[in-house]
């Protein structure tokens, strides 16, 4: 699964009018500053030691002594165990005796041969007698050589009764007990497993859609469930091209090497990998939509910056605001991700790049004050019953979440408490670092708080294990992501069916029926069999909303669901959310955009891990009305 991270400094001007006012056009700009770009691929994997040795025995016998046990640290050449030596010692003595006897026979036969050879040379004995003497000598010589080899083997076997460590490491497994008989056969009888825990590796499974982005040498961070507050660093050391197919899902193994000086990482742990396929610091970058911007003709609106086109523009240009002019500027492009484009030359810090025109959405107001303006028709306005609904969907009691980063403790959530009732449409807002991403992970059962209690539909979540949390996520929560997270090679219908695959109580026929019904509800009845790459961003987000609805969850959890969409498409999606709210769905919309608060029934604002405001909105604006007043896009 791939995600995009970007930490920009942008100036975005947005405002709202009431339904009856004529909308005004305004230019949205982006202020250029040195910033950081990254693109990541996520995967899971299993911890292994880079070097792990099965220590066995090459002889049969009874274990006499064991000198090390589980978790003992051993050095190369250290004595680990002994096998009872009585039989092996007697075999060596027998081999010595056999060799001595064979040596005597050999020396006797050798003297006879040498005497008979001299006589044969003088023709004093027959050929038959000489050949017999030579044969006896050859047999004695071979017998003596055999007993010498038998003696070497017996001595070796006696040495094998003492088992030594082949490497420096830690005993991670002991397979035998004192008094146990071990039998050497075609397979070596294992006594211990010794691993070098100083150097570990993760064998990760990366989806086929992402494997092309992963390269050797890329930086990786990962976490393990045993140490949820720690983040470990690693490097991609190998990308294996042999595919693994499970339930028609193709993955590839990626090996990530990691130092383990504190021995916190042990074999078998599950690691959650974040592979940085793109990491750039202090670069100039702009949103991709800046490259598509086209200005209005000069003189059409003298309140907007007037375009000054180049006489011979280059291959790539941007429009930069300079005073009251909108100047076309040649730029050189660098790398990009799915949201932002690096600019190598042509821009400098402080430049304001034009992004798009949009309607003014807010009247002038005092700083920090939310302007409540006249509501629009046909929207459900929250009543006193909404504020005191008896059925709680979500309740947080003094939730705290702390992370350990080096020697510093980061307090992401500092005692957050609130209750969300059935049928509310709640926005959770906050700037970067406010704690809203951590809160989102907590609400989505993706993370466990350090302390406090979380109840989802009356069920306490904090004490649940990993599998229990996965089950409640599937049954109770419908997720909607900024980047849609659709499977790229599957149809809309198949994408929406996906959550139901993990529900054994739903048949294949019912699964297809429910998925089709949800797609029709979000206006995609004509695109059931279109794939993701055949749909616009707004259509893909509608598929994601249908997927979130298909399990009939108690709550819809939207993470910046309009963040990657243009203004017109954003209001189309907001209109759909308002329709779902009017139908009684419970919705949480996590965003950094305060404009969204005008279209929801309740607004919670975070700052530095605290709730600084929690207000009901008695004048909900109509997203549908704004959408109808927006000019249609012309390609």
């Amino acid at each position: 699964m791939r995600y995009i991270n970007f930490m920009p400094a942008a100036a975005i001007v947005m405002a709202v009018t009431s339904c009856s006012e004529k909308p005004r056009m305004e230019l949205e700009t982006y202020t250029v500053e040195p910033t950081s770009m990254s693109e990541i691929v996520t995967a899971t994997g299993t911890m292994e030691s880079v070097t792990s040795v099965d220590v066995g025995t090459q002889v049969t016998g009874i274990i006499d002594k064991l000198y090390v046990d589980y978790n003992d640290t051993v050095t190369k050449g250290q004595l680990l165990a002994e096998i009872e030596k009585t039989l092996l010692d007697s075999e060596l003595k027998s081999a010595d005796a056999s060799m001595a006897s064979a040596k005597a026979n050999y020396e006797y036969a050798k003297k006879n041969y040498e005497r008979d050879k001299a006589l044969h040379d003088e023709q004093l004995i027959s050929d038959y007698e000489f050949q017999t003497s030579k044969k006896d000598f050859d047999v004695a010589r071979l017998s003596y050589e055999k007993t010498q080899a038998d003696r070497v083997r017996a001595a070796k076997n006696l040495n094998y009764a003492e088992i030594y460590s082949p490497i420096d490491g830690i005993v991670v497994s002991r397979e035998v007990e004192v008094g146990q008989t071990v039998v050497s056969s075609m397979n070596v009888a294992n006594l211990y497993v010794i691993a070098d825990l100083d150097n570990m590796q993760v064998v990760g499974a990366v989806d086929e859609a992402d494997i092309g982005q992963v390269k050797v040498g890329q930086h990786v961070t990962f976490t393990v469930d045993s140490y949820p507050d720690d983040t470990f660093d690693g490097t991609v050391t190998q990308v294996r091209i042999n595919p693994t197919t499970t339930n028609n899902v193709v993955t590839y193994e990626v090996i990530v090497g990691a130092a383990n000086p504190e021995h916190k990482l042990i074999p078998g742990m599950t690691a959650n990998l974040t592979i940085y396929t793109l990491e750039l610091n202090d670069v100039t970058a702009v949103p991709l939509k800046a490259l598509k911007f086209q200005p209005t003709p000069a003189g059409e609106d003298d309140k907007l910056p007037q375009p000054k086109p180049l006489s011979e523009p280059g291959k790539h240009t941007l429009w930069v605001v300079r005073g009251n002019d909108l100047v076309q500027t040649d730029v050189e492009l660098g790398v990009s991700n799915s949201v932002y484009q690096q600019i190598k030359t042509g821009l400098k810090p402080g430049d304001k790049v034009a992004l798009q025109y949009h309607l003014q959405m807010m009247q002038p107001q005092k700083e920090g004050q939310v302007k409540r303006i006249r509501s629009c028709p046909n929207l459900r306005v929250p009543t006193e019953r909404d504020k005191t609904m008896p059925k709680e969907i979500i309740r947080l009691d003094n939730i705290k979440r702390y992370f350990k980063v080096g020697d510093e403790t980061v307090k992401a959530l500092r005692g957050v408490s609130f209750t969300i009732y059935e049928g509310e449409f709640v926005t959770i807002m906050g700037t970067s670092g406010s704690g809203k991403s951590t809160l989102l992970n907590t609400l989505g059962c993706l993370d466990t708080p350090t302390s406090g209690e979380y109840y989802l539909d009356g069920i306490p979540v904090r004490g649940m294990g990993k599998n229990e949390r996965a089950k409640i996520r599937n049954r109770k929560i419908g997720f909607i992501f900024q980047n849609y997270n659709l499977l790229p090679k599957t149809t809309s219908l198949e994408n929406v069916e996906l959550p139901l695959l993990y529900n054994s109580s739903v048949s294949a026929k019912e699964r297809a029926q429910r998925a089709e019904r949800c797609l029709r509800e979000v206006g995609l009845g004509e695109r059931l069999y279109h794939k993701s790459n055949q749909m616009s961003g707004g259509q893909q987000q509608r598929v994601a909303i249908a997927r979130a609805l298909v399990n009939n969850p108690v709550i819809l959890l939207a993470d910046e669901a309009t963040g990657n969409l243009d203004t017109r498409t954003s209001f189309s999606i907001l209109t759909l959310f308002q329709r779902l709210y009017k139908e009684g769905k419970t919705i949480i919309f996590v965003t950094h955009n305060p404009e969204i608060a005008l279209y929801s029934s309740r607004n919670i604002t975070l700052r530095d891990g605290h709730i600084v405001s929690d207000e009901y909105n008695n004048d909900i604006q109509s997203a549908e009305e704004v959408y109808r007043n927006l000019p249609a896009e012309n390609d």
Side-chain angles (χ1 to χ4, degrees), residues 204-268:
V206 175
D207 188 86
E208 62 173 322
D210 299 328
I211 194 64
Q213 309 297 320
V214 180
K215 308 295 180 186
V216 172
Q218 289 174 342
H219 176 228
V220 181
T221 61
F222 62 93
T223 60
V224 294
D225 290 344
S226 299
Y227 302 99
D229 296 336
D230 292 347
T231 299
F232 302 91
D233 291 300
T235 305
V236 176
T237 59
Q238 188 179 52
V239 179
R240 296 176 178 172
I241 61 175
N242 184 41
T244 300
T245 303
T246 305
N247 295 329
N248 294 324
V249 176
V250 179
T251 59
Y252 293 84
E253 287 187 349
V254 172
I255 309 301
V256 176
N260 186 32
E262 298 180 11
H263 292 177
K264 288 185 176 181
L265 304 174
I266 57 178

Side-chain angles (χ1 to χ4, degrees), residues 22-186:
K22 182 178 179 181
R24 294 190 294 107
M25 295 301 295
E26 195 168 76
L27 179 63
E28 178 184 350
T29 62
Y30 172 87
T31 302
V32 176
E33 282 188 12
T35 188
S36 299
M37 289 176 62
S38 68
E39 186 168 2
I40 63 175
V41 169
T42 60
T44 58
T46 304
M47 296 300 312
E48 295 181 355
S49 59
V50 175
T51 304
S52 179
V53 179
D54 294 334
V55 180
T57 175
Q58 291 183 303
V59 295
T60 298
I62 298 173
I63 299 296
D64 187 29
K65 295 177 182 178
L66 294 175
Y67 295 106
V68 295
D69 204 348
Y70 287 97
N71 303 330
D72 285 349
T73 300
V74 298
T75 58
K76 184 176 180 180
Q78 180 178 335
L79 181 62
L80 305 178
E82 289 187 32
I83 294 175
E84 207 280 324
K85 298 179 181 179
T86 303
L87 292 178
L88 297 173
D89 190 56
S90 65
E91 288 178 1
L92 178 60
K93 291 178 179 178
S94 175
D96 285 337
S98 296
M99 187 179 69
S101 174
K103 180 180 179 182
N105 289 335
Y106 165 71
E107 291 175 347
Y108 175 74
K110 180 180 180 182
K111 290 180 180 179
N112 286 341
Y113 168 72
E114 291 173 348
R115 183 189 65 241
D116 290 345
K117 184 177 185 303
L119 293 173
H120 182 264
D121 290 342
E122 297 295 331
Q123 296 184 349
L124 297 176
I125 61 174
S126 65
D127 291 342
Y128 174 78
E129 289 176 311
F130 173 68
Q131 290 172 357
T132 300
S133 178
K134 184 176 184 302
K135 181 204 70 169
D136 292 342
F137 169 68
D138 289 339
V139 169
R141 177 177 55 80
L142 294 173
S143 178
Y144 178 44
E145 291 175 354
K146 180 179 180 301
T147 58
Q148 286 179 309
D150 290 342
R151 200 271 176 194
V152 170
R153 183 173 65 251
K156 275 288 186 183
N157 285 342
L158 182 59
N159 290 335
Y160 287 149
E162 296 179 348
I163 294 95
Y164 297 88
S165 175
I167 62 169
D168 295 336
I170 292 177
V171 177
V172 297
S173 178
R174 175 169 60 81
E175 310 286 339
V176 294
E177 301 288 347
V178 172
Q180 180 177 336
T181 300
V182 290
V183 179
S184 176
S185 58
M186 295 295 293

Side-chain angles (χ1 to χ4, degrees), residues 5 16 25 54 61 126 138 144 154 173 189-190 208 234 262 275 283 294-295 426 440 515 532 544 546 559 571 608:
N5 292 332
V16 175
M25 295 301 295
D54 294 334
S126 65
D138 289 339
Y144 178 44
S173 178
N190 288 334
E208 62 173 322
E262 298 180 11
I275 304 171
V283 296
Q294 292 297 325
V426 181
L440 172 68
S532 302
D559 178 20
F571 277 97
D608 298 329

